[in-house]
Amino acid sequence: MPSLKDIKTQINSVGSTKKITSAMKMVAASKLRRSQEKAEEARPYSSRLEEMLSSLASSSASGEGVIKLLSGTGKDENYLIVPVNADRGLCGGFNSSINKESFKLAKSLENQNKKVQLLPVGKKSRDFFNRVMKENIVESFVDNNVSSSGYESALKISNKIQALFFEGLFDKCILVYNKFQSAISQEVTQQQLIPLDVSSNKDTDTDENSNNAIYTYEPDEETILKDLLPKNVSIQIFKVLLESDAGEQGARMAAMDNATRNAGEMIDSLTLKYNRTRQAFITKELIEIISGAESI
């Protein structure tokens, strides 16, 4: 039977942990509010930009230069997977879900005899793939802190991805990230970044829209595409970083809330155990005193 001092030490230790998790929950809740606002504000801009580029897609028959970001290389052999994860832990299954989905996607492509390269974003993705697929990593980006550095973090990643693409190191680039749904829900999402996936938008376009009959572009479509396609890559990455940041804060808030609740339940259990042990010791001492008095 543990001593009263040992149980008391356990109660104090769990109590200290409860204070930490409670504080982390409040900090995450505060950050979540700002991150959620930024993520929701970025969605209409990024989606509308994709729609406009999709409406220009039929006019870009050329695959030269920057237009290759839209038309692709014409091949389907080399893939670049970009898992977007957090730099810190203590956020439940947020990081493991991305790592699991990215690893599953990479192995599926390799089974189809495709060459797979990885560009992890976030320490948790970098550390995971350093253990399981280190030879496939071309570069990694950590300590992005999009909430403070803003668009600059996305621009660095975008410049590297575009440099790799124009060097002919991959044919398709796929982002894997957690899309923010609510404070307790994040959806693991795959998004094809390069070439721009216009199939979903084409399905919903009317014949009039697909023939660009509604809009007149100045200057010509090709000039606009050369200017907007590189920016679209950066903007889509920026949107993904904001979605991931909001999802991380929501997942951490939920995880710390569960940890705080579990710590409270453990304190209650240990307190009950402490009282029962104390009562047992007191009862034992009383029995010894009474037995001693009777023997006299």
Side-chain angles (χ1 to χ4, degrees):
M1 180 182 294
S3 65
L4 291 174
K5 183 179 179 181
D6 292 338
I7 299 175
K8 193 68 175 178
T9 301
Q10 278 186 292
I11 293 174
N12 293 335
S13 177
V14 176
S16 299
T17 302
K18 182 181 178 181
K19 290 179 182 178
I20 294 171
T21 56
S22 179
M24 291 183 68
K25 173 192 171 183
M26 290 187 288
V27 171
S30 176
K31 290 182 177 180
L32 172 62
R33 194 176 301 111
R34 296 192 297 269
S35 299
Q36 181 177 352
E37 290 175 356
K38 291 180 180 178
E40 291 176 346
E41 288 171 358
R43 287 175 184 173
Y45 185 77
S46 61
S47 61
R48 188 69 186 109
L49 179 58
E50 278 194 323
E51 289 175 10
M52 188 178 69
L53 291 173
S54 298
S55 70
L56 286 166
S58 60
S59 302
S60 58
S62 172
E64 299 296 328
V66 174
I67 307 299
K68 287 175 65 178
L69 292 171
L70 177 64
S71 60
T73 61
K75 300 178 181 178
D76 188 28
E77 299 175 357
N78 302 314
Y79 281 77
L80 178 68
I81 299 176
V82 184
V84 181
N85 233 332
D87 289 313
R88 299 167 56 206
L90 298 176
C91 48
F94 179 86
N95 294 315
S96 59
S97 61
I98 292 296
N99 292 335
K100 182 180 179 180
E101 183 70 16
S102 302
F103 183 73
K104 180 181 177 181
L105 175 62
K107 288 302 179 182
S108 175
L109 291 171
E110 286 183 342
N111 291 336
Q112 300 173 35
N113 297 320
K114 311 292 185 183
K115 181 181 177 182
V116 176
Q117 299 178 87
L118 295 163
L119 195 149
V121 176
K123 290 181 180 178
K124 295 303 177 179
S125 273
R126 181 199 63 182
D127 295 345
F128 174 79
F129 285 105
N130 267 333
R131 294 193 299 270
V132 298
M133 298 181 72
K134 186 176 183 179
E135 66 282 356
N136 296 76
I137 297 177
V138 292
E139 192 166 336
S140 60
F141 290 87
V142 299
D143 296 324
N144 297 294
N145 197 11
V146 67
S147 58
S148 59
S149 61
Y151 187 67
E152 293 299 321
S153 298
L155 195 59
K156 291 178 182 178
I157 301 172
S158 172
N159 290 339
K160 180 61 180 179
I161 291 176
Q162 292 185 58
L164 293 173
F165 179 68
F166 289 119
E167 289 172 11
L169 297 182
F170 68 87
D171 302 315
K172 290 186 178 181
C173 175
I174 299 176
L175 299 172
V176 184
Y177 67 100
N178 273 308
K179 184 177 181 180
F180 178 79
Q181 300 287 343
S182 67
I184 58 173
S185 175
Q186 299 84 37
E187 179 185 356
V188 178
T189 305
Q190 295 182 20
Q191 177 180 341
Q192 182 173 302
L193 183 66
I194 299 175
L196 179 65
D197 186 9
V198 298
S199 57
S200 58
N201 292 316
K202 281 185 176 180
D203 292 339
T204 57
D205 282 344
T206 64
D207 292 338
E208 191 178 17
N209 286 335
S210 62
N211 290 327
N212 299 317
I214 291 181
Y215 302 105
T216 300
Y217 295 97
E218 291 184 4
D220 59 279
E221 288 88 342
E222 186 173 344
T223 304
I224 295 174
L225 285 171
K226 286 182 178 179
D227 183 56
L228 288 185
L229 282 170
K231 291 181 180 179
N232 177 63
V233 175
S234 304
I235 289 168
Q236 297 304 322
I237 293 174
F238 184 48
K239 177 204 71 174
V240 166
L241 290 177
L242 291 175
E243 293 276 357
S244 181
D245 183 57
E248 177 191 350
Q249 301 306 331
R252 180 169 292 113
M253 185 184 73
M256 292 301 100
D257 181 55
N258 289 333
T260 302
R261 191 181 302 110
N262 292 338
E265 292 175 358
M266 187 176 292
I267 289 174
D268 292 341
S269 176
L270 287 171
T271 301
L272 180 61
K273 185 177 180 180
Y274 175 84
N275 291 333
R276 286 177 175 174
T277 304
R278 181 170 175 270
Q279 186 179 20
F281 278 127
I282 293 173
T283 303
K284 182 181 178 182
E285 289 177 358
L286 287 174
I287 291 173
E288 290 176 352
I289 293 171
I290 294 171
S291 298
E294 288 180 352
S295 62
I296 295 173

